[in-house]
Each structure stands twice: as structure tokens, then as C-alpha cells.
Amino acid sequence: MARALELARTPGVPLGPNPRVGCVLLGPDGTTVAEGHHRGAGTPHAEVDALARAGRHARGATAVVTLEPCNHTGRTGPCSRALIEAGVARVVYAQSDANPVAVGGAGTLRAAGVDVEGGLMVEAARAVNRTWTFAVDHQRPYVSWKLATTLDGRSAAADGSSRWVSSRAARLDTHRLRGLCDAILVGTGTVLEDDPQLTVRDELDAPLPPERQPLRVVMGLRELPAGRRVLDAAAETVVLRTRDPHEVLAHLHRRDRQHLFLEGGPTVAAAFLRAGLVDEVVAYVAPLLLGAGHPAVGDLGIGSITAALHLEVTDVAVLESSSPDEDTNVRLTMTPRKEGS
């Protein structure tokens, strides 16, 4: 199973919309007959990939797979039927498939006389597909809120200047994190004031091809003038005429988007936080003090310290700057503390 999980993490495999899956076929003597992994939507699933490599040697084999074999026909056929038809005798899987369109593979296998065991290294398997698992379980995308702030919580100076709040190292790190998501969101206010392009760019500040870009999402009721960079051809953009975060996430879930990178201003950030729809906070903190200026987040309706939103720190990284003119930034990754914890 550890090898199957390694196959699932093969570099270059898209993070969505399909889960990353690995499969190892073992012969009766325990030796590896074949290996396979899923390479993205529309390509053979991991089990089918391994079966194709095994040929007739799949008969009587044990399939060790990181996700319960699917039970539906989409762009490809059901893996449960493929395993049965190949004569596989036993299937061991890690994570159950809770996707309502694919569920039931283990039952189909058992009904055909295949020995089935689930739950082996399940937490490791869930970690491989962290955001896919969350989206299936919660029926909405996982939301990461990114902010850049001074030590006193300011995202921009009083005159609106903000580009220097975060260092180049922090901005490059932001592009890395953008590339791990399948949607990036801001509000209409950010588009009107900052005119961002919202693309993933490399170290030379060159954007990746449009087909590799996350979906750009703009929410709000104000009209966007033609010529704004977020409306260019560098990536697909959807403008949602709403201020309701629930509506936004429902729309993205219907589009099979599983990880939203929230980069909006203080108003949008506050709306998602008040709705309890922020699952992760990524804060770039610069060693600066402004004393006044634009806050990193708007009013959360918190009037007492006892009602404060507590965050659990899960990672701290020091982002050293290569330029003597820029300050070293710190990236804090946090998750909202659950009630009772």
C-alpha cells in the first residue's frame, strides 16, 4: 500500500478534479505483477492501468489500491467490473469512495466473489487527496484564505500602497500555492482598485499556459469595466453576481472545483470568515509597522475577546529574501480551531 500511495503521488498528475490513485497488483506468491496510477480526467484509472500492464497475469492476483474501486461509467468504465473480468481474486483498498456517483465498488466486488478488505493506511490515503476528500465529504470546495500583512495587521498603507508589504520570496511562494488550487477568488473591489491578473506565474514572472491556470472567480455586484486584466485570455474567468459565499461555493462545487484560494480584500475575507467557510489561513507577515492603513480583514462582528476566532498553527516558514532591500517574511499556515478543542 505504501508503494501504491507513492504511485498516486507521481509528479505531474493533476490535483483535480479526479482523485490521485495508485494500484499495485501482486501475484499469488506476493511478488509485484504490475503497477499503475491515474493520470487525470479522461485517462485510465489506476486499476485499469495496472491491469493493462499485467495482461493474463492479473488472474488470481491481489489488487492493492489507494481508493475503493469505482462503480460507475463516466469517461471510463467501472473499475470494479474491470477487476472482476480480469479475474482478480482479492482487493485491498485504503480509502472508501464517498463520491455518490462512484460509490459501491466494494459491494459489487464482493457480490462477484472477490475477497475485499478496506481501510488499510486510510489516513495516509486521505492526505494524498486532502482537498478532493474534503470536497466530497462537505459538498463544497476547501477554502484557503491568503493574506499579506504587517505586524500590526495592515494590508496596505493609508494611501493605498501595498505592493511592498510582502517580499518577492513571499509572492513567489503565493504563486506556488495558487498552482495547487483549481480556483482563485477576489471581490469586485479588488479588481477595481488593484486590477490583478490572478494567474500562476513562474520565477521569471511568466504566466503558465491557460490550460494549467486555476479558474479566476470574481464575486460582487459592481460592474467590471472592459480591459481589466482578470478578464483577459490568460485563464478562464467567471463573474458571480452575489455577495453570498455559500452561493459562490455551491457554484464552484457544481463545476467540480475542489480547492478555492481566497485572495479577496478585507470585505470578502470577512464574509467567508463570518460564514464559517474558511478552512485554512495562509498569512505572510512582514516585519513592518504602519500604525494606520487598510486592515487585513473587515468587521467579523466580534465584540469581546471571549468570542475571538482562534487559529491553530500547523506550519511556520521563514522566507528569506535574496535582495538586501526587502525584508524577510514569515509564512504562517493555520486552521480555525474547532469548537471544544
Side-chain angles (χ1 to χ4, degrees), residues 15-100:
L15 297 179
N18 288 9
R20 292 177 291 172
V21 183
C23 177
V24 177
L25 291 178
L26 301 176
D29 60 354
T31 59
T32 299
V33 172
E35 298 179 340
H37 69 277
H38 186 44
R39 292 169 174 79
T43 67
H45 288 190
E47 301 94 318
V48 174
D49 185 35
L51 291 172
R53 298 172 189 275
R56 61 182 178 84
H57 299 293
R59 185 161 298 277
T62 293
V64 181
V65 60
T66 58
L67 183 68
E68 177 185 359
C70 70
N71 203 43
H72 81 296
T73 300
R75 297 192 209 181
T76 58
C79 293
S80 55
R81 297 305 314 175
L83 291 164
I84 293 166
E85 292 168 4
V88 168
R90 184 169 183 246
V91 173
V92 180
Y93 66 88
Q95 181 181 1
S96 296
D97 194 341
N99 188 340

Side-chain angles (χ1 to χ4, degrees), residues 22-332:
C23 177
V24 177
L25 291 178
L26 301 176
D29 60 354
T31 59
T32 299
V33 172
E35 298 179 340
H37 69 277
H38 186 44
R39 292 169 174 79
T43 67
H45 288 190
E47 301 94 318
V48 174
D49 185 35
L51 291 172
R53 298 172 189 275
R56 61 182 178 84
H57 299 293
R59 185 161 298 277
T62 293
V64 181
V65 60
T66 58
L67 183 68
E68 177 185 359
C70 70
N71 203 43
H72 81 296
T73 300
R75 297 192 209 181
T76 58
C79 293
S80 55
R81 297 305 314 175
L83 291 164
I84 293 166
E85 292 168 4
V88 168
R90 184 169 183 246
V91 173
V92 180
Y93 66 88
Q95 181 181 1
S96 296
D97 194 341
N99 188 340
V101 302
V103 71
T108 297
L109 289 163
R110 289 192 180 100
V114 178
D115 181 21
V116 180
E117 178 183 348
L120 179 62
M121 298 182 69
V122 62
E123 292 305 318
R126 288 174 66 88
V128 169
N129 291 299
R130 180 180 67 127
T131 56
W132 178 87
T133 299
F134 181 95
V136 169
D137 288 348
H138 295 82
Q139 296 296 288
R140 69 165 177 85
Y142 185 89
V143 178
S144 295
W145 171 41
K146 169 259 175 182
L147 68 151
T149 178
T150 62
L151 281 176
D152 51 351
R154 306 295 176 175
S155 62
D159 64 358
S161 57
S162 64
R163 184 171 294 274
W164 53 274
V165 166
S166 61
S167 66
R168 172 170 170 76
R171 293 192 294 274
L172 287 173
D173 195 62
T174 295
H175 283 291
R176 178 185 66 82
L177 294 181
R178 280 182 177 181
L180 299 178
C181 302
D182 51 18
I184 305 173
L185 182 141
V186 297
T188 53
T190 295
V191 174
L192 294 172
E193 293 174 18
D194 298 338
D195 192 22
Q197 191 177 31
L198 296 183
T199 53
V200 178
R201 297 187 289 278
D202 61 21
E203 293 188 1
L204 300 177
D205 207 31
L208 300 181
E211 64 272 13
R212 294 178 57 192
Q213 294 287 350
L215 175 70
R216 300 180 294 191
V217 185
V218 182
M219 67 178 290
L221 303 181
R222 286 184 280 183
E223 293 293 329
L224 301 181
R228 292 289 162 166
R229 296 200 301 161
V230 76
L231 302 177
D232 65 18
E236 183 183 0
T237 299
V238 59
V239 179
L240 302 178
R241 301 297 184 185
T242 180
R243 292 174 176 166
D244 185 350
H246 292 93
E247 290 185 21
V248 171
L249 295 185
H251 176 91
L252 294 177
H253 181 67
R254 289 193 296 270
R255 295 189 62 148
D256 214 6
R257 303 291 166 158
Q258 297 152 5
H259 192 178
L260 175 63
F261 203 55
L262 181 63
E263 291 200 44
T267 301
V268 168
F272 275 81
L273 286 165
R274 286 196 305 268
L277 295 174
V278 172
D279 306 298
E280 178 181 67
V281 179
V282 180
Y284 295 94
V285 183
L288 303 171
L289 294 171
L290 288 174
H294 298 269
V297 64
D299 183 11
L300 296 178
I302 297 173
S304 169
I305 190 65
T306 59
L309 175 62
H310 291 266
L311 302 171
E312 299 281 357
V313 177
T314 59
D315 185 63
V316 179
V318 178
L319 304 175
E320 298 284 355
S321 177
S322 59
S323 170
D325 299 325
E326 287 193 324
D327 295 305
T328 295
N329 282 199
V330 175
R331 184 191 69 230
L332 296 172

